[in-house]
Amino acid sequence: MDEQTYTTRAPAQPNQSLQYGTECLLQLVSAGRPIGSREMARELKREHTHVNRLLGTLAYLGLAERTSDRKYIVGPGIHVLSAMSLRGSHLLTSALPRIRTLIEKTGMIVALGVLWRRQVCYLYHGGPEKSMEAAIVGSDLYPAERSSIGMIMLAQRTKEYVKSLYQEQEKDMGGEINVNALLQQLLEVRTQGYGLNDNTSLAVAIGSPPMAALAVATDMITKEEIPLLVKQLHETADGILVDMKNLQK
Amino acid sequence: MDEQTYTTRAPAQPNQSLQYGTECLLQLVSAGRPIGSREMARELKREHTHVNRLLGTLAYLGLAERTSDRKYIVGPGIHVLSAMSLRGSHLLTSALPRIRTLIEKTGMIVALGVLWRRQVCYLYHGGPEKSMEAAIVGSDLYPAERSSIGMIMLAQRTKEYVKSLYQEQEKDMGGEINVNALLQQLLEVRTQGYGLNDNTSLAVAIGSPPMAALAVATDMITKEEIPLLVKQLHETADGILVDMKNLQK
DNA sequence: GAATAATAGTGCTAATATAGCATCAAATGT
DNA sequence: ACATTTGATGCTATATTAGCACTATTATTC
């Protein structure tokens, strides 16, 4: 399995345990339910003992917890990790005021998400009738190729990366994806500069390369609406970036 | 340096690289500014090359980023980690509606925090006049021994753990702490079941052992106010726990 | 500006941490 | 009840990694 890496230049001596350990951690978090070590090993296509050992260490660190029926769930340390990483990220705190403004301007649902493997993970997902506290952290991971957020983020990835990502686990991840069709779509998305999904949601990237993406969603986005919405999305995304920079001083 | 571990029973073969790698990551996140590998090695009391290698790996994974002046800051992967861990944690999403209610009831500042080493990291910190989006993720880490949240959380830790935590890095962490006096205070906190700091803030634990703690703060909390506030805090904390459990189905 | 000190990063290699096979007890499936 | 799968571990070969020594770069000192 090809692990997600960000720089094409590996350090002199990459630490494999750290790499595979964080992989296990994110897989555990994504499971959202108790998961056994062999099941996870099958999902990650890794030797069982290896995964069992890493899960054991995560439990030792408090990031995982063993259940009475010998499975693993996230542990108390996840709260520390989420608090610290949220504080280090600055993304949600920078985005929230601007999301509020965007919701008021458009009257639409607004979503802020990040891409993890082939899934979009929402930091925010809600519209005008939803309170902010209820909109923070959408519930389920969502398939990237069916999401405007996912598509705009995948579009900034290399063809090789996308191929690799989608040619593995095709059966496991809920249906087979025609990779060539996907790549064609991604080219279109890249050209347009926004992702459009089913004429119901429209996304632009935050940052370049994108660290996240911002979308509006409603029942039907008409062709005529797109340019203004894209402009508004870009302004909001750019504002988020500026605020993040300011928070980092 | 004694790494924070949650279970007294180590697994058969704990993975040291994962342990030290996550340590580096949290230290990087807590720095909040660019930090060099030697500086971090000094902070962590670890051999320099080791830390440099781990930071290099974190950069490879996108969790860190190398700056042009050869230092490290958090990288784009931190947004993925924060989104995923926040989603896996359920703490903030469960707490927000109840925090809103508590603010309305008390008219005070409410804070939700977790303990990382000797620091409190706030997931929420704000009062009635502050918008929710501005109150999410308080800015700075705060010394635990000067915080009601820190104290109530430390009070549930073993004497050995607290001793170990405070006897190292005394000079580095901004002043020497009288550990015996601290232990005496923690005993008092444990006995009372709440942490009180300077008569300005009052905290109770969320969960047992506590995963987080919840506090109210105002200019002056009188002795007479304490019982009702403690009751309200406990009700809120218990409600958060219930909501978290429900979100995990 | 030159000299000195500190830094990040790397090569190398000894050694130690770890991967994986085999095994066992416990849990699940038939 | 038996068969299968599971999580966890011991053991040990070996791959990964820790750390020494070094280099190029940057920062500090005079």
Side-chain angles (χ1 to χ4, degrees):
Chain A
M1 169 152 169
D2 197 3
E3 177 63 28
Q4 182 167 332
T5 55
Y6 281 80
T7 60
T8 53
R9 186 177 68 88
Q13 205 178 301
N15 186 298
Q16 292 187 40
S17 289
L18 179 53
Q19 185 170 343
Y20 301 137
T22 55
E23 180 187 41
C24 280
L25 174 62
L26 286 179
Q27 190 78 11
L28 177 65
V29 171
S30 76
R33 57 179 173 84
I35 182 167
S37 56
R38 279 187 199 259
E39 186 181 352
M40 186 184 284
R42 284 194 297 271
E43 289 178 357
L44 295 178
K45 294 187 166 25
R46 289 204 188 281
E47 200 274 327
H48 161 247
T49 317
H50 190 189
V51 171
N52 181 267
R53 293 270 159 70
L54 291 173
L55 286 171
T57 300
L58 291 172
Y60 186 53
L61 298 178
L63 292 167
E65 192 175 333
R66 286 193 195 86
T67 65
S68 52
D69 57 348
R70 303 187 311 166
K71 290 175 190 293
Y72 289 84
I73 58 174
V74 291
I78 203 71
H79 311 301
V80 178
L81 185 64
S82 71
M84 296 288 285
S85 57
L86 195 59
R87 179 179 163 273
S89 161
H90 297 299
L91 176 57
L92 186 60
T93 50
S94 303
L96 283 176
R98 291 186 182 268
I99 286 174
R100 178 189 281 255
T101 304
L102 189 58
I103 291 173
E104 286 164 7
K105 273 195 194 170
T106 59
M108 294 181 181
I109 287 171
V110 171
L112 170 70
V114 297
L115 179 66
W116 173 70
R117 294 220 204 110
R118 294 161 47 160
Q119 314 281 327
V120 172
C121 180
Y122 294 99
L123 273 166
Y124 192 95
H125 192 288
E129 74 299 324
K130 202 169 183 183
S131 70
M132 277 215 125
E133 63 259 25
I136 284 172
V137 189
S139 51
D140 292 330
L141 297 178
Y142 199 81
E145 70 281 356
R146 304 211 305 257
S147 148
S148 58
I149 283 177
M151 292 300 279
I152 191 67
M153 292 194 82
L154 282 174
Q156 318 295 338
R157 294 282 179 156
T158 64
K159 190 185 288 190
E160 287 70 43
Y161 177 81
V162 175
K163 270 187 185 172
S164 171
L165 188 61
Y166 277 88
Q167 276 177 343
E168 305 163 346
Q169 298 178 323
E170 295 190 11
K171 289 165 191 164
D172 307 340
M173 300 299 274
E176 307 199 359
I177 309 288
N178 182 335
V179 179
N180 288 320
L182 177 63
L183 287 170
Q184 196 60 36
Q185 281 178 277
L186 291 178
L187 176 60
E188 188 174 328
V189 168
R190 191 155 52 243
T191 308
Q192 291 173 334
Y194 57 83
L196 185 63
N197 183 53
D198 279 343
N199 295 313
T200 60
S201 79
L202 178 66
V204 300
I206 302 179
S208 185
M211 66 180 75
L214 187 65
V216 289
T218 190
D219 289 342
M220 175 72 192
I221 297 176
T222 64
K223 241 191 193 56
E224 292 77 38
E225 286 176 298
I226 290 177
L228 176 61
L229 287 176
V230 169
K231 181 168 175 287
Q232 286 170 322
L233 284 168
H234 274 302
E235 284 167 355
T236 305
D238 293 344
I240 291 168
L241 284 175
V242 169
D243 293 350
M244 283 172 74
K245 277 210 163 73
N246 288 336
L247 275 179
Q248 273 161 8
K249 292 173 184 170
Chain B
M1 167 151 169
D2 199 1
E3 177 62 26
Q4 182 167 329
T5 54
Y6 280 80
T7 59
T8 52
R9 188 178 68 89
Q13 206 177 302
N15 187 299
Q16 291 187 41
S17 290
L18 179 53
Q19 185 172 343
Y20 300 139
T22 54
E23 179 188 42
C24 280
L25 175 61
L26 286 178
Q27 190 78 8
L28 178 65
V29 171
S30 76
R33 59 181 170 84
I35 183 168
S37 55
R38 278 191 195 259
E39 184 182 353
M40 185 184 284
R42 283 195 299 271
E43 290 177 359
L44 295 178
K45 293 187 169 18
R46 291 207 186 279
E47 202 274 327
H48 160 249
T49 317
H50 189 188
V51 171
N52 182 267
R53 292 267 157 74
L54 291 173
L55 286 172
T57 300
L58 290 173
Y60 186 55
L61 298 178
L63 292 167
E65 190 175 333
R66 284 192 195 86
T67 65
S68 51
D69 58 346
R70 304 186 310 169
K71 292 177 189 287
Y72 289 85
I73 57 174
V74 291
I78 202 67
H79 311 301
V80 177
L81 184 63
S82 71
M84 296 287 284
S85 56
L86 195 58
R87 179 179 163 274
S89 160
H90 297 299
L91 175 58
L92 185 61
T93 50
S94 303
L96 284 176
R98 291 186 181 267
I99 285 174
R100 178 187 282 253
T101 303
L102 188 58
I103 290 173
E104 287 164 6
K105 275 194 193 172
T106 59
M108 292 178 182
I109 287 172
V110 170
L112 170 68
V114 298
L115 179 67
W116 173 70
R117 295 221 202 107
R118 296 161 48 160
Q119 314 282 329
V120 172
C121 181
Y122 293 99
L123 274 166
Y124 193 96
H125 192 287
E129 75 298 324
K130 203 170 186 182
S131 71
M132 280 214 122
E133 61 259 26
I136 285 173
V137 189
S139 51
D140 291 329
L141 297 177
Y142 200 82
E145 71 279 358
R146 301 211 309 255
S147 147
S148 58
I149 283 178
M151 292 299 278
I152 191 66
M153 294 198 78
L154 282 173
Q156 316 295 340
R157 295 280 178 155
T158 64
K159 189 187 285 190
E160 287 69 45
Y161 177 83
V162 174
K163 268 188 188 173
S164 172
L165 189 61
Y166 276 88
Q167 274 175 349
E168 306 164 344
Q169 298 177 327
E170 295 189 13
K171 289 165 191 161
D172 306 339
M173 303 298 276
E176 309 199 356
I177 308 287
N178 182 335
V179 179
N180 287 319
L182 177 62
L183 286 170
Q184 195 61 32
Q185 280 178 278
L186 291 179
L187 176 61
E188 188 175 329
V189 168
R190 193 157 49 245
T191 307
Q192 290 172 337
Y194 58 83
L196 185 65
N197 183 53
D198 277 343
N199 295 313
T200 59
S201 78
L202 179 64
V204 301
I206 302 180
S208 184
M211 65 181 75
L214 187 66
V216 289
T218 191
D219 289 342
M220 177 70 191
I221 298 177
T222 64
K223 242 192 195 48
E224 291 76 38
E225 287 178 296
I226 289 176
L228 176 61
L229 287 176
V230 168
K231 183 169 175 285
Q232 287 171 322
L233 283 168
H234 274 305
E235 284 169 358
T236 305
D238 291 345
I240 290 168
L241 283 174
V242 169
D243 292 348
M244 282 171 77
K245 278 209 162 72
N246 287 335
L247 274 178
Q248 271 159 10
K249 292 175 184 173

